[in-house]
Amino acid sequence: MIILQRTVTGLRRRDGVAVALAVLVASVVHALPAQASAPGRAPAQAAVAAPNLRDFDLRRVSDRSGPLRALSGKLERSSVDALLTASGQRRLGHGCGKPAAVPARSLVHCFDRADSATGKWVPQGVTSVSDATAGERLPGGGRPLLVSWHDSGRVRLTFVNPHRRTYRHVLLVYPTMKRGRPTYGDIGVHAGGIAWYGSKLYVADTRHGVREFDIRQIYDLGKSKAGSTGHAGRVGLHGKKYYGHGHRYVMAQTGSWHFTRGSTSGKCHGSGPLRMSWIAVDRTTWRHALIAGEYCKPKAPRGRVVTWPLWALSGGGVAQADWAAALPGDRIQGGVRTNGRWWFTQGRGQKRGRLLMTSRDWDGWSRVTRRTISHGPEDLSCYRGQHRIWTIAEHARKRALWGFRADSCG
């Protein structure tokens, strides 16, 4: 059986084929009794079934092109470069590294006092221009980091400009038609992970799969005759004006990718579609990959990690997963792969979180190294030019956007 597994892995690494053979081997492995872990490796959880790749296939649904075309006739669009330099930016703060227990020699960005202390909005996902483009730079020169936040049925996206030490919140919205007129509403997901690739922004949708946005679909309500930046309680079209809960900018969803085998429940089952807790981009492979994984508690079945080739999410149809495995730990809040090296954050409630470092070979996870890091570490993103991996410490008053040195990220 080990020989078969090595053959399949080798084929996939060379040319991306052998998916059907992988499914066949997975079914055979599932029929065999569980084996003990090899010495020095992460302990295997008892009775973990080999993941079925077809459980993770995604189909593009909910195309929003109609409402978006109508909105474009009402509101002014904005580029990300313009958004990063427009008036009304918030200033990055200071002093958050110590209360968040950020490790020494990390780069740290602090939000202002209000955003650092709020318990209403909670930061979750992290991505950057390094995930988005090969050159790690926007056409106008911007090099932003992005952070997602959730708040009881609303989601906002923060564009951080480290060069200017400023940042801007953008409300994520779902476009629709109402009585023949274009409007939009709030996005009600946890947004536990985000991944920016090309012009697309993917947001984790825990039960269904992935929400898709486009950075070219950002609307500037402040510059639009039909827009308003007032009335924090309003969103969408009210009378003749468009609102965004007081935000100047709104970013519209373009579509969704749902699991072909249905939605998930609120619990981890160890089989079936993925409970989409976090996502990341790997640009260090020949075929750039979207990575996603599950957050599962210790008494639940072990969570899983899955990859899809990003080119498969560039159009319609079905995006087939090309690799999956059980995670090397529980309570995984974020993960990323760079040049074959894996990094995972592990939440531990009010205790400081852990960073898990490992690699994957023919027989499973290699020895897992664990290091105590900040409070509440979340999603992960590799900034290649910096050789740093970024994460966000989520807890109020212990909140920081920080990056640690990782030589394999580059």
Side-chain angles (χ1 to χ4, degrees), residues 171 184 186 230-236 238-239 241-247:
L171 185 71
Y184 49 79
D186 288 316
H231 293 281
R234 292 183 180 179
V235 65
H238 290 261
K241 291 286 186 179
Y242 288 90
Y243 299 86
H245 292 305
H247 292 77

Side-chain angles (χ1 to χ4, degrees), residues 206-269:
T206 309
R207 293 195 61 194
H208 303 288
V210 179
R211 303 279 185 123
E212 178 193 281
F213 296 78
D214 194 313
I215 64 166
R216 298 169 296 185
Q217 301 292 347
I218 298 176
Y219 298 106
D220 185 344
L221 300 182
K223 291 184 66 175
S224 302
K225 291 182 179 180
S228 173
T229 59
H231 293 281
R234 292 183 180 179
V235 65
L237 182 63
H238 290 261
K240 296 182 179 180
K241 291 286 186 179
Y242 288 90
Y243 299 86
H245 292 305
H247 292 77
R248 176 176 170 177
Y249 296 90
V250 298
M251 184 174 178
Q253 181 175 327
T254 54
S256 295
W257 291 85
H258 286 183
F259 291 112
T260 60
R261 295 190 172 179
S263 61
T264 65
S265 67
K267 297 181 179 180
C268 293
H269 297 287

Side-chain angles (χ1 to χ4, degrees), residues 248-324:
R248 176 176 170 177
Y249 296 90
V250 298
M251 184 174 178
Q253 181 175 327
T254 54
S256 295
W257 291 85
H258 286 183
F259 291 112
T260 60
R261 295 190 172 179
S263 61
T264 65
S265 67
K267 297 181 179 180
C268 293
H269 297 287
S271 62
L274 194 74
R275 188 175 183 271
M276 191 78 74
S277 300
W278 46 267
I279 56 178
V281 169
D282 183 359
R283 272 185 167 267
T284 67
T285 54
W286 175 61
R287 298 197 309 176
H288 299 165
L290 181 70
I291 303 168
E294 296 178 302
Y295 173 91
C296 297
K297 295 181 179 180
K299 293 184 179 180
R302 181 61 56 88
R304 297 159 294 169
V305 58
V306 184
T307 65
W308 297 262
L310 270 159
W311 64 262
L313 281 81
S314 62
V318 174
Q320 292 190 331
D322 59 5
W323 177 83

Side-chain angles (χ1 to χ4, degrees), residues 46-392:
V48 174
N52 182 347
L53 289 180
R54 298 290 70 80
D55 283 341
F56 313 121
D57 289 347
L58 294 165
R59 183 185 301 277
R60 195 172 193 275
V61 298
S62 186
D63 181 11
R64 311 315 300 159
S65 57
L68 285 171
R69 282 195 298 269
L71 276 175
S72 295
K74 303 287 186 180
L75 301 173
E76 296 287 332
R77 293 189 190 181
S78 171
S79 69
V80 175
D81 278 313
L83 177 152
L84 290 171
T85 56
S87 61
Q89 305 281 334
R90 291 175 180 255
R91 299 293 303 179
L92 288 172
H94 55 82
C96 64
K98 185 175 180 179
V102 172
R105 296 182 295 280
S106 300
L107 289 182
V108 183
H109 299 308
C110 306
F111 299 107
D112 67 17
R113 184 173 299 178
D115 286 331
S116 294
T118 181
K120 187 177 181 182
W121 287 99
V122 183
Q124 296 288 298
V126 177
T127 188
S128 77
V129 70
S130 182
D131 288 331
T133 70
E136 302 181 305
R137 184 188 294 266
L138 295 176
R143 294 184 173 184
L145 295 162
L146 276 59
V147 179
S148 64
W149 308 60
H150 71 81
D151 166 32
S152 302
R154 294 187 293 175
V155 176
R156 72 185 184 191
L157 188 67
T158 301
F159 287 80
V160 178
N161 187 340
H163 176 69
R164 290 174 172 256
R165 292 198 53 76
T166 58
Y167 66 97
R168 164 86 70 182
H169 297 314
V170 175
L171 185 71
L172 298 189
V173 297
Y174 183 83
T176 187
M177 301 294 293
K178 187 175 182 180
R179 291 192 286 273
R181 296 195 294 175
T183 184
Y184 49 79
D186 288 316
I187 302 290
V189 297
H190 191 74
I194 53 176
W196 183 11
Y197 185 77
S199 64
K200 300 301 175 82
L201 178 78
Y202 300 104
V203 178
D205 183 337
T206 309
R207 293 195 61 194
H208 303 288
V210 179
R211 303 279 185 123
E212 178 193 281
F213 296 78
D214 194 313
I215 64 166
R216 298 169 296 185
Q217 301 292 347
I218 298 176
Y219 298 106
D220 185 344
L221 300 182
K223 291 184 66 175
S224 302
K225 291 182 179 180
S228 173
T229 59
H231 293 281
R234 292 183 180 179
V235 65
L237 182 63
H238 290 261
K240 296 182 179 180
K241 291 286 186 179
Y242 288 90
Y243 299 86
H245 292 305
H247 292 77
R248 176 176 170 177
Y249 296 90
V250 298
M251 184 174 178
Q253 181 175 327
T254 54
S256 295
W257 291 85
H258 286 183
F259 291 112
T260 60
R261 295 190 172 179
S263 61
T264 65
S265 67
K267 297 181 179 180
C268 293
H269 297 287
S271 62
L274 194 74
R275 188 175 183 271
M276 191 78 74
S277 300
W278 46 267
I279 56 178
V281 169
D282 183 359
R283 272 185 167 267
T284 67
T285 54
W286 175 61
R287 298 197 309 176
H288 299 165
L290 181 70
I291 303 168
E294 296 178 302
Y295 173 91
C296 297
K297 295 181 179 180
K299 293 184 179 180
R302 181 61 56 88
R304 297 159 294 169
V305 58
V306 184
T307 65
W308 297 262
L310 270 159
W311 64 262
L313 281 81
S314 62
V318 174
Q320 292 190 331
D322 59 5
W323 177 83
L327 284 163
D330 52 45
R331 297 167 294 172
I332 300 300
Q333 304 262 57
V336 70
R337 181 184 63 194
T338 70
N339 288 304
R341 186 71 171 164
W342 285 90
W343 310 80
F344 299 101
T345 52
Q346 185 179 53
R348 297 201 298 160
Q350 295 305 310
K351 297 179 180 180
R352 292 173 62 184
R354 287 197 182 112
L355 183 68
L356 277 57
M357 298 159 282
T358 184
S359 57
R360 185 83 184 181
D361 60 22
W362 308 115
D363 302 321
W365 299 108
S366 298
R367 182 185 298 275
V368 179
T369 302
R370 293 171 170 82
R371 179 160 64 98
T372 300
I373 52 171
S374 72
H375 292 285
E378 285 283 335
D379 205 26
L380 291 173
S381 177
C382 163
Y383 202 121
R384 292 167 289 114
Q386 298 177 353
H387 294 278
R388 287 187 182 271
I389 295 177
W390 286 87
T391 187
I392 183 80

